[in-house]
Amino acid sequence: MEFAVSILLSGISLGGQLALIAIGYTMVYGILRLINFAHGDLFMVSGLMMIYLVTWIPLYLAIPVVLILAVMLGFCIERVAYRPLRGAPRMSVMISAIGVSYLLQNTATYVTGGQPMNYPSIPFLSDTLVIRIAENFTITTKWVTVVTPVLVVVLVVVLTQLIHHTKIGMAMRAVAKDFEASQLMGIKIDHIISVTFIIGSALAAIGSMLYFSNYPYITPTAGAMPGLKAFVAAVFGGIGSIPGAVIGAFLIGICETVIKGSSWSVFSDAFTFALLIIILAAKPTGLFGEKATDKV
Amino acid sequence: MTGQKKDKRGAMLGLCFAVLLLVLVVVLENTLKPTEMMFTVLKKGAVYSLVAVSMNLLNGFTGLFSLGQAGFMLLGAYTYAILTVPTGVRDSVYYLYGGSSVRFSLQEMFGALFGNSGVGGGVSLVLGVLLALILAGCVAAFFAWLIGLPVLRLKSDYLAIATLGFAEIIRAVFQWDVLGPVTNGANMIKSFPTFTSFNITNAQGVVILRLSTFVPFFVAIVCIAIIVMLINSSYGRAFKAIREDEIAAEAMGINLAKHKQLSFCISAFFAGIGGAMFAMYAANAQAKVFTSAMTYEILLIVVIGGIGSISGSCIATFLYVACSEGWLRFLDTEMVLDNGVQVPFLRNGFRMVVFSVVIMIVVLFFRRGMMGNRELSDLIFRKPGKQKRRAGGGHG
C-alpha cells in the first residue's frame, strides 16, 4: 500500500514535469505546425545552466537568471533556425529542428566533457517530506513531488486565462486557426510566434528545475527522452490543447512510473510510444483536438 | 527519346564507375597497410551510404518523412547476427542465458553441403552470409509492413514521430530479458563472420588477397543499383508523383496506400541489409547502438547530400564519415602552438560542435544540399534547358 501510494505520487510528479514541457510543444505545434525537437534539449540546457550558474552566483539569483537565459535561448532558436524557413516545406523546418537539437546536444557534450553533471539541490524542493497518514502509514518523499502538480495546475489556469482573455491570447488563437487570414487582420505573426516560444521556454526551464531535482545528474542526452514523451502527451491530449496536454502528461507520467516499478521496466519508454501509435491509429486528433479537414 | 538516351548513358557511366571503384578498392587494400584509417572510413562509408540511400528513397523520392531507419537497421543487424554465429561459439556468446535457442548457423548449413574448408568453405561462407543478409532485409521489411499498416495513413510529422517511436519500441524489445536466449538481452552478440572473414588465406593462415573492403562496397553497390533501377521504373515515377502531390497522384490512378507501403517496405529492406552490414563492420550487434541519434545522423547526411539525389547521398556519406573518423579528428585534441600558445576551443567534443554548426548552415542556407535533386550523370551530360526546369521545381 505504501509502495503503491509512493509510486502514484512520483508518477503524478513526473507527469507534472512532463506537462510543463508538453505545454511548450503543444503551443508551438498549434501555431507553427512544427515538432520543435529542440524543446527537449532546451530543457536539458536549462538544467546545465543551473549547474554552472550556482557555482558563480547564489541560488536565489540563479533561478531567475536561468529562466531569463532559457527564454533568450528559445527566442534565439526561433529567430535563427525557424524564422528563415517560414515559407519552406514542413520537412525542411523539421530537419532544421533536428539540426538544432543535434547542435545543442553536441555543444552540451563539449562543455560538460560528456560527464554526467550533478544537479544542485534546491533548498525546499529537495527537502524530504514525511506524510503521516495513519499510525504505521508514512510516506517519505521530496517536497518537489507535492509542489509540482500544484504548480502545474496554477500555471495552466494562468495560461488558459492568458489565452482566452487577453489580446495577445486572442492573437495566438487566431494565428493557430489561420496563418494568412490573421496576417491580413493586422496581427504581427512573427511577434506572436516569438511570444509562444518565450512562454514555452520559460515553462521548460521551470520544468527542468523540478525534473532534475528528482534525478541525481544530467547528461547531454537527458532532454531527448522527456522531450519525446512530452510530445506524445501533447498528441494524446490533442495537439494545440493545453488542458489536453496536461492530462496526457499526467497519464503518461503515472503509467510510466507504474511500469518502472513492475517487472516490465524495460518497456517504460516503449510504452509511451506504443500509446502514441495506438492513439494515432485510433483517434489522430487526440482527446481534445479539433478535427482538421483537408481542402482540395 | 533524349531522356531515354541519357538514362542509358547514365547507366553505362554508373556501371563503369562502380567497376572502377571496386577494382580500385581491391588494389588499394592489397597494396597499402590494412590498418590504415582509410579502410575504416571506406567500410563505414559503404555501409552508411546504403542506409542513407534507403532513407532517401523514402524521404526524398516518396515524400514520406520517416525516422525509423535505426529500428530497421537494428532488426537487420540482429537477424544477421543470430543466424550466423557459429554453433561452436554460441554457448560462450550466450553464456548469460545458458546457450542460444537458435541451434544452427547458415554458413555451417551450407558447409554441410559444400565442405567447411578450402574452396567449399569459402562458397558456404559466401552463400550463408548472402542468405543471412537477404533474410535480414526480409525481416526488416516484414516489420515495416506490419507497422506501415496503421502508421502510413498519418501525415508528415505524425508519421515521423510514430516511426521514431516504433524504432524505440523495437530497441526495448530486443533488450528484454525474456527474449535473452534469442537476442542475448542487453548484451552484444559477437563472433559472427565479419568483413575480415572474407580475406582469402592460404593453408598457413597467411592472407593472400584482402577483400574486407571489397565486400561492403560490392553489396552496397548492388543494393544501390537496385534502388536506382526501381526509381527509374514506373514504380519510381509513382513514388515521385506521390511526393509532389498526393491528391493529384491519386487522381491519376496511383494507389496511394499500396505505393506508400511498397516504398516503406523496400526502404526498410535495404536499411535491414545496411544494419546487417553495420553489424559486420562493428563486429558486434548491440541494441543500444541503434538509437534515434543514429537516425538523425543518417537524415542529416541525406540532407547534406540533397534530398532526392542518390549520388548526393553517397558523396555526402563518404564526406561525413571521412570528416567524423579522420579529417576533423584534430579538432578533438588539444594543440599547443610553437610559441606556447594553446589553440582555444580545441578539446574533446569540439569536432561534433563544428559539425553541427556546418549542418545548421547547410540546412538554413543551402537547403537543397550539395546536389539538390540532381544526379552525377545530370551534371556530366549537362543540358541547359533541362537544368533550368529542374531547378525551378524546388521541394524540401
Side-chain angles (χ1 to χ4, degrees):
Chain A
M1 186 63 196
E2 276 168 49
F3 183 64
V5 173
S6 71
I7 285 221
L8 192 67
L9 259 183
S10 53
I12 291 174
S13 154
L14 176 65
Q17 289 139 13
L18 288 181
L20 290 174
I21 317 172
I23 293 172
Y25 268 112
T26 207
M27 285 176 73
V28 167
Y29 194 93
I31 288 183
L32 273 186
R33 305 280 146 195
L34 156 74
I35 302 178
N36 183 7
F37 278 100
H39 198 62
D41 298 292
L42 183 87
F43 166 80
M44 174 270 301
V45 169
S46 35
L48 283 182
M49 282 185 208
M50 189 71 176
I51 291 174
Y52 283 102
L53 276 176
V54 209
T55 55
W56 292 343
I57 51 177
L59 194 78
Y60 56 89
L61 260 177
I63 292 176
V65 171
V66 165
L67 269 180
I68 292 166
L69 285 177
V71 162
M72 275 164 56
L73 183 64
F75 178 77
C76 292
I77 289 174
E78 194 273 325
R79 208 53 192 275
V80 174
Y82 303 151
R83 190 170 294 183
L85 298 177
R86 198 60 37 94
R90 259 157 96 178
M91 205 198 262
S92 340
V93 192
M94 208 149 110
I95 290 167
S96 176
I98 291 175
V100 173
S101 150
Y102 201 61
L103 176 64
L104 287 180
Q105 280 184 19
N106 285 331
T107 315
T109 314
Y110 172 61
V111 172
T112 60
Q115 299 296 319
M117 305 287 285
N118 287 316
Y119 200 73
S121 61
I122 303 174
F124 182 65
L125 281 185
S126 309
D127 291 349
T128 16
L129 167 75
V130 181
I131 308 170
R132 230 186 150 73
I133 297 171
E135 194 55 37
N136 340 317
F137 189 54
T138 53
I139 300 153
T140 324
T141 178
K142 283 181 179 176
W143 267 103
V144 65
T145 324
V146 186
V147 171
T148 312
V150 178
L151 192 67
V152 169
V153 170
V154 171
L155 283 171
V156 167
V157 169
V158 171
L159 261 183
T160 38
Q161 291 301 313
L162 178 89
I163 285 176
H164 288 284
H165 299 288
T166 62
K167 209 168 171 186
I168 194 145
M170 208 196 312
M172 276 176 174
R173 279 181 291 148
V175 176
K177 261 261 168 349
D178 192 328
F179 226 80
E180 275 135 29
S182 52
Q183 213 163 8
L184 293 174
M185 295 296 131
I187 294 171
K188 291 197 182 75
I189 295 208
D190 288 339
H191 179 71
I192 297 298
I193 291 171
S194 294
V195 171
T196 315
F197 269 88
I198 285 171
I199 295 176
S201 314
L203 290 177
I206 298 174
S208 88
M209 285 170 206
L210 299 172
Y211 185 87
F212 290 117
S213 290
N214 259 346
Y215 289 79
Y217 52 80
I218 307 184
T219 55
T221 49
M225 245 325 139
L228 283 177
K229 280 177 194 156
F231 178 76
V232 175
V235 172
F236 183 81
I239 205 106
S241 150
I242 291 177
V246 173
I247 291 173
F250 276 116
L251 186 95
I252 286 176
I254 293 169
C255 287
E256 198 196 306
T257 329
V258 169
I259 291 173
K260 266 211 177 113
S262 73
S263 57
W264 295 77
S265 56
V266 212
F267 290 105
S268 66
D269 292 342
F271 161 77
T272 316
F273 294 109
L275 185 74
L276 173 82
I277 292 176
I278 293 167
I279 287 166
L280 287 178
K283 197 175 185 303
T285 49
L287 279 185
F288 303 108
E290 287 169 25
K291 196 166 168 30
T293 42
D294 274 343
K295 286 175 218 143
V296 181
Chain B
M1 278 299 275
T2 47
Q4 229 170 19
K5 219 180 207 170
K6 211 182 107 190
D7 269 4
K8 251 190 198 139
R9 276 201 289 177
M12 281 308 294
L13 184 82
L15 193 67
C16 296
F17 184 65
V19 171
L20 215 80
L21 198 66
L22 287 177
V23 171
L24 186 72
V25 161
V26 175
V27 171
L28 273 181
E29 196 176 22
N30 286 293
T31 45
L32 296 177
K33 255 208 321 247
T35 46
E36 195 97 26
M37 187 73 214
M38 192 175 80
F39 295 112
T40 319
V41 172
L42 286 178
K43 283 176 201 166
K44 197 176 176 190
V47 174
Y48 263 49
S49 57
L50 174 59
V51 183
V53 168
S54 80
M55 192 170 199
N56 208 344
L57 172 69
L58 200 56
N59 290 18
F61 287 95
T62 322
L64 294 171
F65 195 39
S66 152
L67 294 177
Q69 232 58 6
F72 298 127
M73 283 176 77
L74 186 151
L75 284 167
Y78 266 86
T79 311
Y80 173 79
I82 290 165
L83 290 177
T84 56
V85 176
T87 34
V89 294
R90 274 194 187 254
D91 284 344
S92 67
V93 172
Y94 287 82
Y95 69 98
L96 274 178
Y97 297 94
S100 163
S101 56
V102 180
R103 303 216 164 274
F104 62 91
S105 74
L106 288 176
Q107 73 274 29
E108 282 163 340
M109 277 167 64
F110 283 110
L113 277 177
F114 298 105
N116 274 323
S117 58
V119 180
V123 171
S124 51
L125 175 72
V126 169
L127 284 179
V129 168
L130 194 66
L131 186 62
L133 281 178
I134 293 171
L135 283 175
C138 291
V139 168
F142 172 70
F143 276 88
W145 178 74
L146 272 189
I147 192 70
L149 289 177
V151 161
L152 282 177
R153 290 186 298 156
L154 303 169
K155 287 273 151 55
S156 58
D157 25 15
Y158 283 111
L159 175 68
I161 202 95
T163 44
L164 187 70
F166 162 74
E168 291 292 326
I169 294 172
I170 288 285
R171 200 155 61 88
V173 169
F174 273 82
Q175 287 177 319
W176 192 22
D177 269 355
V178 177
L179 293 177
V182 180
T183 63
N184 210 9
N187 313 300
M188 59 170 79
I189 305 183
K190 48 182 194 283
S191 310
F192 47 77
T194 61
F195 292 142
T196 34
S197 319
F198 288 93
N199 289 341
I200 297 171
T201 54
N202 61 12
Q204 281 79 42
V206 181
V207 180
I208 314 169
L209 185 63
R210 288 183 196 282
L211 291 176
S212 67
T213 320
F214 169 79
V215 171
F217 265 82
F218 184 70
V219 177
I221 285 176
V222 168
C223 290
I224 290 172
I226 295 173
I227 295 178
V228 170
M229 282 193 272
L230 179 85
I231 286 170
N232 289 332
S233 72
S234 63
Y235 286 108
R237 286 193 289 279
F239 293 162
K240 285 182 211 162
I242 293 173
R243 167 187 80 189
E244 298 301 334
D245 192 331
E246 280 192 13
I247 295 161
E250 205 172 14
M252 298 306 283
I254 293 169
N255 185 339
L256 279 191
K258 191 185 130 202
H259 281 93
K260 280 185 180 177
Q261 187 70 270
L262 191 71
S263 167
F264 196 54
C265 289
I266 292 172
S267 168
F269 178 84
F270 288 112
I273 293 184
M277 291 218 291
F278 186 79
M280 290 168 95
Y281 159 77
N284 62 61
Q286 201 175 10
K288 73 175 181 197
V289 184
F290 300 95
T291 53
S292 46
M294 194 178 208
T295 309
Y296 294 160
E297 204 179 358
I298 294 159
L299 175 71
L300 295 171
I301 289 176
V302 172
V303 171
I304 294 174
I307 295 180
S309 166
I310 300 283
S311 36
S313 292
C314 297
I315 297 169
T317 310
F318 281 100
L319 270 182
Y320 179 90
V321 175
C323 287
S324 67
E325 299 283 327
W327 295 344
L328 290 181
R329 279 276 168 199
F330 74 94
L331 289 173
D332 264 6
T333 42
E334 289 177 18
M335 197 174 11
V336 181
L337 294 180
D338 291 341
N339 53 5
V341 181
Q342 193 172 0
V343 183
F345 301 123
L346 293 189
R347 181 150 58 90
N348 207 6
F350 191 59
R351 176 175 54 107
M352 292 313 285
V353 176
V354 172
F355 237 60
S356 15
V357 171
V358 170
I359 285 168
M360 277 317 289
I361 291 172
V362 171
V363 167
L364 287 177
F365 301 111
F366 305 97
R367 219 184 301 157
R368 301 169 53 78
M370 294 191 315
M371 305 283 285
N373 53 5
R374 289 165 300 176
E375 297 293 343
L376 262 187
S377 58
D378 291 339
L379 294 181
I380 294 169
F381 311 119
R382 190 186 291 261
K383 275 234 177 71
K386 183 145 191 172
Q387 208 65 182
K388 209 180 257 172
R389 206 172 68 223
R390 284 205 171 188
H395 76 94

